[in-house]
Amino acid sequence: MIFGLHIWNMVFLLVLLAFGVATLLYMLVGLANKYIFAEPEAPEEHRYAAVISARNEEGVIGGLIKSLRTQRYPADKLDIYVVADNCTDRTAEVAERAGATVYVRRNAREVGKGYALDFLFQKLLTLHASRHYAGYFIFDADNVVDENFTAEMNKTFCRGGYDAITCYRSSKNFGDNWISAGYSIWFLRQSRFLNFPRSLLGLNCAVGGTGFFVSDRLIRENGGWPFHLLTEDIEFSADCAVRDRAIGYCDRAVVFDEQPTAFRQSWDQRLRWSRGFYQVDAKYAPALLRESLRGGVHGISCCDMLFNLIPGLLGAAAVFLLGGLLAMHCLLHPAAGLTASLLLDIAKYVAAGYYALMFLCGLTTVLTEWRRIPASRWKKVCYLPLFPVFMLTYLPIAVTALFRKPEWKPIHHTPTAEPESEGL
């Protein structure tokens, strides 16, 4: 049994090592190409629509619409649409006064952002088909958009070959506390050391929930927005990978969103995300595995997406649980003391290795993106060591999501929140 315990933990360590190697490879590709060259000027200024799903967001939606209306892009080529989804506040009124075209949706049975987006796309495909949009930008109501966002996304789209494009996702409130900083570092890492290397390698990227573009052709091909799982953005990304629909990345198009600062709100949000990941796993894992075996760039993109969907922390929990059961059996044998010592040593090595890997990811991200992080210097430094702790809190969340069906709960947003400037 002790030999079996050795083998079991060796397998776990090898899986952890594989994850670390893949992470480091992406980081090396990103670091080797750290200088972002400007896209060539676009030969055409296409017409787009900004699509916003909002539920009780009267305090922040005006700021997003203002940032869209002040883009360095022809105003007559960017229309703004809002779906006020099951709102009980003044979201629709505030959005309309700010200059958006608003549609009100009331549906207590089909609840979720995916259903709200599909409702709005059906309006666009029927009532506004004559406007001939090249594509749509999808935002959350708490976003603020950089003034060059539309122009930069248009450049990438004009380069050709993409059905969807994701952007550089930053945060308005990195410096609020360790929770908002943890979110921010993770999303910055996704942009800089996941999607950017993928685009350099010619692989499919993954959209990050907000601030992404979808072509009109793909929306019409899909008949709207048929992605209704809890993580509809990951569902969309997995669907594109399986069907070989290219998702690109635009590093110079920047969107800022507001991260939760209360742990309870963070728990509820990440519980929905974890549950959504399991839903996407169940729906797309077999197809992704099948397409991965085909090889080529398409196969590698599917393999990458499959690897991204694997709930690593849940796997770690399962390994520790089964290892613990095996250890309990071993405790009944004369070598119980040796077994306990072995488990303690392994736990220390794994904890130290995990912290080191996450700290390295956070450190590399913060140093590389230092000038692009809207926070004071001391906050960037002080919250960095807590990033691995933030990531570790996913472990109980991932386990809880297996047994509990989460419900939507509102996240409080600050009406006047703006990206913090870097202090002296």
Side-chain angles (χ1 to χ4, degrees), residues 135-385:
Y136 310 90
F137 301 120
I138 298 178
F139 297 105
D140 287 338
D142 62 291
N143 296 159
V144 171
V145 183
D146 180 78
E147 61 185 4
N148 295 311
F149 180 92
T150 305
E152 294 296 336
M153 292 289 266
N154 182 61
K155 291 177 184 179
T156 302
F157 178 63
C158 285
R159 190 151 43 89
Y162 294 127
D163 298 290
I165 305 169
T166 190
C167 74
Y168 183 94
R169 184 175 179 181
S170 189
S171 299
K172 295 189 289 187
N173 61 330
F174 181 105
D176 280 3
N177 61 17
W178 69 280
I179 297 173
S180 63
Y183 274 102
S184 303
I185 293 172
W186 179 253
F187 288 130
L188 288 170
R189 175 184 170 272
Q190 282 187 329
S191 296
R192 191 66 181 79
F193 292 112
L194 286 179
N195 280 328
F196 179 50
R198 286 167 177 157
S199 67
L200 292 173
L201 296 170
L203 304 177
N204 250 27
C205 299
V207 304
T210 188
F212 62 94
F213 162 85
V214 184
S215 69
D216 179 70
R217 185 189 70 81
L218 186 56
I219 290 295
R220 291 183 181 278
E221 180 182 299
N222 291 335
W225 189 261
F227 307 106
H228 303 145
L229 300 181
L230 289 173
T231 48
E232 81 290 329
D233 54 333
I234 301 300
E235 182 183 5
F236 170 75
S237 299
D239 186 78
C240 285
V242 169
R243 296 167 54 206
D244 201 16
R245 301 295 183 265
I247 301 177
Y249 172 67
C250 181
D251 187 79
R252 291 180 177 272
V254 183
V255 64
F256 300 88
D257 64 350
E258 186 177 347
Q259 308 302 341
T261 56
F263 186 78
R264 183 69 218 184
Q265 288 183 332
S266 174
W267 175 283
D268 292 337
Q269 183 184 64
R270 290 185 287 159
L271 186 68
R272 290 198 310 274
W273 292 352
S274 297
R275 184 77 174 191
F277 263 81
Y278 300 150
Q279 292 175 342
V280 178
D281 277 329
K283 184 175 180 179
Y284 286 98
L288 287 169
L289 179 59
R290 182 188 67 244
E291 295 300 312
S292 298
L293 299 177
R294 295 180 182 272
V297 174
H298 171 60
I300 296 174
S301 292
C302 288
C303 183
D304 175 75
M305 178 57 63
L306 182 61
F307 187 77
N308 186 53
L309 288 175
I310 295 174
L313 284 173
L314 179 64
V319 167
F320 277 117
L321 177 62
L322 293 175
L325 293 174
L326 187 58
M328 290 177 61
H329 182 82
C330 292
L331 289 175
L332 302 176
H333 290 73
L338 177 61
T339 301
S341 176
L342 173 64
L343 286 174
L344 183 61
D345 287 341
I346 291 175
K348 289 190 294 186
Y349 290 140
V350 170
Y354 168 81
Y355 185 92
L357 178 62
M358 288 295 102
F359 183 78
L360 177 62
C361 290
L363 177 64
T364 308
T365 301
V366 170
L367 290 179
T368 305
E369 305 306 289
W370 185 269
R371 294 183 179 276
R372 303 180 76 178
I373 297 175
S376 63
R377 291 183 176 90
W378 76 269
K379 288 181 179 179
K380 297 174 191 177
V381 173
C382 290
Y383 292 137
L384 179 58

